[in-house]
Amino acid sequence: MIVADQPVRIVAHDPAWAGRFGEQRDRLMAILGDLLAGAVEHIGSTAVAGLPAKPVVDILAPVHSLDTARGALPALAEDGWLDWPDDPAGHYRLWLLRPHPAARTHHLHVIAHGDPHAGALLAFRDALRADADLRERYAQLKRRVAAAHRDNRNAYTNAKTAFIEQALRAVGVDPPSRDLLAE
């Protein structure tokens, strides 16, 4: 699959994102079953009430083993998930999207339970949920970098990295690497 570089578009928070997550969570739990090592989680900006976001629901599926989880790729594909085998972060995750690269509605991050990347995704989400000032500063940053990098998702993501790393350190979490949050 070739992942199209969709324009970066930030929209107001939509309460329906929680329902869209819930629908996929239940499907993913049925598909991944015993491979899961914990709860399937809604992550990223769509998981934070009041935070503007790209209208793409990010999902974390923590698994016992990333290598074993690769065996579920055919079942995920049958359910409409498209795998990105050339993901530069493929050493620690499987990354999938639906329904197709040019019009994404969901991203799926399959990461081994206990991997620092999974912990960072959850810690950043939780920090945003808990701190209105942090949430507002992040919203302002997202709007600013989206306007500056409308046609370059990588640049948009990279422009947020220092903020995310600082927020994680503030809650006692060491950022695992520069490819921290690909949202």
Side-chain angles (χ1 to χ4, degrees):
M1 167 184 63
I2 296 174
V3 178
D5 203 16
Q6 279 185 304
V8 177
R9 183 175 62 96
I10 302 296
V11 300
H13 182 81
D14 183 347
W17 290 334
R20 292 184 197 138
F21 160 72
E23 292 166 3
Q24 295 305 316
R25 177 198 56 220
D26 296 345
R27 294 167 74 137
L28 290 165
M29 289 172 52
I31 293 167
L32 297 173
D34 290 341
L35 298 174
L36 290 170
V40 174
E41 298 271 358
H42 188 181
I43 58 170
S45 295
T46 61
V48 180
L51 186 62
K54 294 187 315 298
V56 179
V57 173
D58 280 282
I59 300 170
L60 172 64
V63 293
H64 294 288
S65 163
L66 190 59
D67 287 334
T68 304
R70 291 180 203 287
L73 287 173
L76 289 165
E78 187 174 313
D79 192 52
W81 289 96
L82 301 174
D83 176 33
W84 183 25
D86 299 325
D87 178 7
H91 60 284
Y92 75 85
R93 72 176 182 190
L94 301 175
W95 188 86
L96 302 95
L97 64 83
R98 68 179 311 136
H100 52 87
R104 308 172 197 178
T105 60
H106 295 79
H107 292 159
L108 174 60
H109 308 253
V110 178
I111 303 176
H113 180 71
D115 184 285
H117 293 88
L121 290 164
L122 294 169
F124 185 59
R125 178 205 62 194
D126 293 346
L128 289 168
R129 285 176 171 175
D131 186 335
D133 179 61
L134 179 69
R135 192 168 48 250
E136 180 54 34
R137 288 186 291 123
Y138 190 52
Q140 290 173 8
L141 173 65
K142 289 167 62 83
R143 288 183 190 106
R144 188 170 61 251
V145 299
H149 303 291
R150 177 108 19 234
D151 295 318
N152 187 332
R153 271 185 181 243
N154 285 338
Y156 166 78
T157 298
N158 292 339
K160 299 182 304 172
T161 300
F163 182 95
I164 294 167
E165 289 175 340
Q166 182 180 30
L168 287 170
R169 286 187 186 99
V171 296
V173 175
D174 284 330
S177 70
R178 290 299 247 166
D179 57 1
L180 184 60
L181 292 176
E183 71 150 287

